[in-house]
Amino acid sequence: PGWPRLLRSDLAATRPGRTERRTTLASFVQFTDIHLTDVQHPLRYEFFRAGGPGAWRPHEALTLPGVVSLVERVNALRRGPETGEPFAFAITTGDNGDENAEIEVEWFLTALSGGRLDPNTGDPDRYEGVQDSGLPLYWHPERDLRDQDKQVGYPRIDGYLAAATRPLRSPGLNIPWYSTFGNHDLLSGGCYPAAGTWIEDVCVGSKKLQIIPAEQAKWLMEGEAKGVDPKGDRIRAVLREHRHRMRTVTPDERRVPLTPRQYAAAHLAPRHRGRGPLGHGYTRENLETGDLYYTFRVSDDVIGVSLDSTDPGGHYQGSLGTSQLRWLERVLTRHEDEYALVFSHHASWSMDNFTPDPAHPGEQRHGGAELISVLQRHSNVLAWINGHSHRNRIRPRGTFWEICTASHVDYPQLARAIEITDNRDGTLSLFTTLIESAAPYRTDFEDLSRTGLASLYRELGFNAPGADVTLVGEPTDRNTELLLPRR
C-alpha cells in the first residue's frame, strides 16, 4: 500500500477549508541520480569493492530497463496524484550517467526523449565486464562460482548478461523535460576531472583493472571521501602499479568523457528533442559559455532556476562559484514578483567542496550554508529541490523547503511528483509524492524481457550487499503536504 501523506506545518499554521479553496500553481515530476552505467567501461571503479561490499552494485547492468520502466510509469500516471493537475514537465537533478561517457549521455537523452537503446559497448558479440571475470568479489549470474553475492542468496540466472546488453526501446516521456548537471555528468567516478586528462586515455583504451588488495581499495576510498585526491593521483598510481594484471577489453571511442560544452551540445541535438524543449533547458548561450545553469518557465506564476553545483576541480561534493551565485541573486531579484523553485544536484549538506575551478582559479567557491542564506533573502523562493545524497530528506529552511529525493539506482528507486497550490487562505502547499516504476512487484527470474529485467533491477537493488535501507527516509521525508505562508 502507498505511504500516507503527512502534513508538515513547520513554516506555517493550518487553516480549515483549504482543500475546497485551493488552486494549482504547478505540477511536475523530479527524477534524480539515474546513473545510467556502461558496465564494461575500462575505468569503472568496481575494484573499490575489495574495501567493502557496498562499493559495487550487483544490479547496475540493469539501469537502462530500470529507467525505461520509470518513464512508463510517469506516462501512465499523467497527472499529480493530489490535485489531478496534468504534469507540465519532468526535471532530472543530475547524475544522469555514471562515468561522464558520451555513450551514457546518449542513453540518457534517448531514454527520456524516446528511441532505441543499445546497452552493449566494446565487443559487439560478447560481454567484457567483471561479471564474467571469474573473481568471487563479484556476482556471476551465469556461473556456478560461489561468489560473495551468491553466498548471501543471489541467484544464478542463465542468459542474464545477454539480456542485460540486448537493445531495447524507450517510449520517451510524454511531457517536456529539463536536465540538471551532476558530478557524475562531468567527473570520472563522480570525483575526478576526465575530459582532456590522462583519464580520457584510459576511458577509450583497452585495459581494465578488475581487482586490487583490500587495504589499497580502502586507501582509495578514504581519498575520495576526504577530498584529498581531487585529481585522481592515487588512482593513477594504482593503475600503474597493476598494469600487468589488467584485463584486455575492446576499446570504444563512445566512452570518451565530455566537456560541459559538449554535454550541452548533445542536449541541443534535434534528434533528442522528444517532447521538448530543444536543449532541455540548455541553450546556445550555455553552449558558448560552458556555464550549465539556466532559468525556465514552470507555470504562469512560477519560475524555475537550474543550478550547476558540480565543482570542476574535482571531488564528489559540490559548491557554486561566485559568478553563478551572483547570477542567481540577479535572477531571483528580477523575478521577485513571481514564485521561484531552485533545482540543483547537490543538497545543502553536501556542498562543502572548495577545490578551485581550473578555468577560474581565483574565483571563490560557496557552500550550502551560504546558498541557504541567499535563498532566505528572497521571499519568492518556495523550495530548493535536489538529489546527490541518494536519500529522501525534507527540511524546513526558515522561508522555504529543501526537498532532497533518493536515487533511481539504489533502493528505493523512486521518482517524486511535486504539486504546488495556493490555498487562498494566506498559505501555500507543496505536495510531494514518491512514485515507483511500472515493473511488477514480484520478480520472475525466468523472465528476461525488458519488463522482467526492470522488476529484477528493483529486487536486486533492495537486496544489494551493503545497501543502506535508511535512504528511503522517514515518513516525513516521503509523501507530504508542506505548508508555507503566502507572501
Side-chain angles (χ1 to χ4, degrees), residues 267-479:
H267 283 69
L268 284 159
R271 70 181 183 278
H272 294 313
R273 184 181 187 116
R275 291 300 182 95
L278 181 65
H280 303 289
Y282 300 122
T283 64
R284 291 294 171 187
E285 182 179 356
N286 297 114
L287 188 60
E288 292 166 4
T289 64
D291 296 329
L292 297 189
Y293 44 88
Y294 60 88
T295 64
F296 67 102
R297 177 59 55 186
V298 171
S299 66
D300 291 342
D301 303 305
V302 185
I303 191 78
V305 184
S306 176
L307 301 177
D308 173 10
S309 57
T310 297
D311 190 325
H315 188 36
Y316 65 92
Q317 301 288 56
S319 58
L320 300 183
T322 297
S323 59
Q324 183 176 181
L325 192 66
R326 289 175 177 167
W327 170 87
L328 172 63
E329 293 203 79
R330 291 195 300 272
V331 166
L332 294 178
T333 299
R334 187 166 65 247
H335 293 277
E336 61 183 358
D337 294 331
E338 300 177 276
Y339 293 117
L341 299 174
V342 176
F343 301 88
S344 73
H345 177 60
H346 292 86
S348 61
W349 55 88
S350 60
M351 292 183 66
D352 56 3
N353 177 14
F354 306 110
T355 305
D357 178 352
H360 305 92
E363 183 181 50
Q364 184 179 351
R365 305 293 298 184
H366 304 268
E370 187 171 356
L371 182 51
I372 287 175
S373 295
V374 167
L375 299 180
Q376 287 173 338
R377 292 200 294 269
H378 295 271
S379 61
N380 55 332
V381 175
L382 303 180
W384 175 12
I385 299 162
N386 49 49
H388 180 67
S389 67
H390 291 211
R391 179 181 300 277
N392 289 317
R393 178 177 287 173
I394 298 176
R395 295 291 181 266
R397 298 302 185 197
T399 60
F400 67 92
W401 289 94
E402 182 173 2
I403 302 170
C404 182
T405 301
S407 79
H408 305 319
V409 68
D410 293 319
Y411 172 79
Q413 298 178 332
L414 305 175
R416 197 188 290 268
I418 299 176
E419 303 161 85
I420 303 172
T421 65
D422 184 341
N423 297 323
R424 301 295 181 181
D425 62 358
T427 67
L428 303 174
S429 289
L430 283 69
F431 295 96
T432 72
T433 310
L434 293 167
I435 54 178
E436 61 201 343
S437 79
Y441 291 120
R442 187 172 298 280
T443 300
D444 178 356
F445 295 146
E446 308 257 327
D447 181 4
L448 298 182
S449 68
R450 177 174 58 75
T451 301
L453 292 177
S455 182
L456 181 61
Y457 180 58
R458 182 162 56 196
E459 179 157 337
L460 297 180
F462 177 77
N463 288 281
D468 182 356
V469 296
T470 70
L471 297 177
V472 72
E474 298 297 322
T476 50
D477 301 314
R478 304 176 197 168
N479 297 345

